[in-house]
Amino acid sequence: MSDSNTTNFNNPSTFILLGIPGLEGAHIWISIPFCTMYTIAVLGNVTILFIVKMEQSLHGPMYYFLCMLAVTDLVVSTSTLPKMLSIFWFNSREISFSSCLTQMYVLLCFSAMESGILMAMALDRYVAICHPLRHSSILTNSVVAKIGLAVVLRSGIFALPYPFLAMRWPYCRTNIIPHTYCGHIAVVKLACADIRISSYYGLFDLFSEIGMDVFFITVSYTLILRAIFRLPTKDARLKTFGTCISHLCAILALYTPGFFSSLMHRFGHNVPLHFLVLIANMYLLVPPLLHPIIYGVRTKQIRGRLLRLFTPKGT
């Protein structure tokens, strides 16, 4: 395997993923919490899918959206962590150009999908609280399926230009990516061409997808809070707001690491590269880890089914 960074080659067939630059000697130690988080994320999300499938009372819009979120979390984490761990454990740093672009597409597509599903869940909370008597007639299985399909198509279509634009650029500087995975900016920065169109499209996509999701989530919760404050008693207000806590925590788990990662990459010019890479990895690891924990702890039906699952009969 060659780690050459010569400037005299064109469009390499493979890239070299460095892992976490500057912390190569600590890769084994860093892999321990990463592997633990990934294992918990996989077990947690698979458990959510299993419980919703087995529990008839959970066959409703909120839990269908939760299953969609669990699937996207599994794809996002599985598209990066196995390769990351192979870098940490076996120094297996090579990744083919096509595999790199595929990983880039999957990450961008499913990360946007997570955001879209959280927006759909906000719609579910709005209908459940503001129009409780019409909830089942508005959010039918057919409507839920159409919303899910719309989120998938939107994310898939908006993510398509990224790999196609990346394929256009000539890569004649280096084939070394100072990262643990093929992030869009990390890859196109290696091009020896004007990549402003990729940067502009990235901003357009950010505002078109994430910006729109955040806007509709904000509008939904504004209407939800207005309905809650109209309730006659404090207990009723607290009980109703309590049904939104899991969703609000899931929103924070997704957007907070993403916000800090984006902020650091754009304005953290004096921030060490290894810190930027660690923050970017947290954005991919934290939501899949926290989402099943949040819903497992906060949702009475899921918690009850979990207890029955792990409590021996007759005790």
Side-chain angles (χ1 to χ4, degrees), residues 259-315:
F259 174 75
F260 279 109
S261 179
S262 179
L263 208 62
M264 289 291 180
H265 274 90
R266 280 168 175 76
F267 304 109
H269 304 299
N270 298 319
V271 177
L273 183 57
H274 66 263
F275 185 76
L276 293 177
V277 173
L278 283 170
I279 290 290
N281 284 310
M282 288 302 103
Y283 172 58
L284 299 179
L285 276 169
V286 170
L289 170 72
L290 290 184
H291 287 158
I293 295 174
I294 290 166
Y295 279 95
V297 170
R298 290 287 313 172
T299 308
K300 184 179 178 182
Q301 295 93 324
I302 293 177
R303 191 171 65 244
R305 177 70 188 192
L306 265 175
L307 289 173
R308 291 202 304 274
L309 200 64
F310 292 106
T311 303
K313 291 180 180 180
T315 61

Side-chain angles (χ1 to χ4, degrees), residues 107-121:
L107 275 177
L108 291 164
C109 176
F110 281 85
S111 295
M113 218 177 284
E114 281 184 301
S115 179
I117 292 166
L118 287 177
M119 179 188 68
M121 294 172 89

Side-chain angles (χ1 to χ4, degrees), residues 224-246:
I224 286 169
L225 288 173
R226 191 174 70 173
I228 287 173
F229 285 126
R230 287 176 176 172
L231 293 173
T233 66
K234 183 181 178 181
D235 285 345
R237 290 193 289 270
L238 289 173
K239 185 178 179 180
T240 305
F241 184 71
T243 63
C244 301
I245 295 296
S246 296

Side-chain angles (χ1 to χ4, degrees), residues 97-125:
F97 186 68
S98 58
S99 296
C100 190
L101 294 185
T102 301
Q103 187 184 58
M104 180 197 299
Y105 175 78
V106 169
L107 275 177
L108 291 164
C109 176
F110 281 85
S111 295
M113 218 177 284
E114 281 184 301
S115 179
I117 292 166
L118 287 177
M119 179 188 68
M121 294 172 89
L123 172 65
D124 171 71
R125 290 297 82 214

Side-chain angles (χ1 to χ4, degrees), residues 18-64:
L18 280 187
I20 303 177
L23 296 179
E24 288 87 352
H27 274 176
I28 292 293
W29 296 107
I30 294 170
S31 73
I32 296 171
F34 276 31
C35 184
T36 303
M37 292 167 75
Y38 176 59
T39 303
I40 295 171
V42 170
L43 290 175
N45 284 292
V46 168
T47 301
I48 291 287
L49 292 170
F50 173 77
I51 287 174
V52 173
K53 184 181 186 314
M54 298 301 295
E55 191 67 42
Q56 195 69 30
S57 64
L58 300 182
H59 291 183
M62 174 183 166
Y63 299 102
Y64 291 147

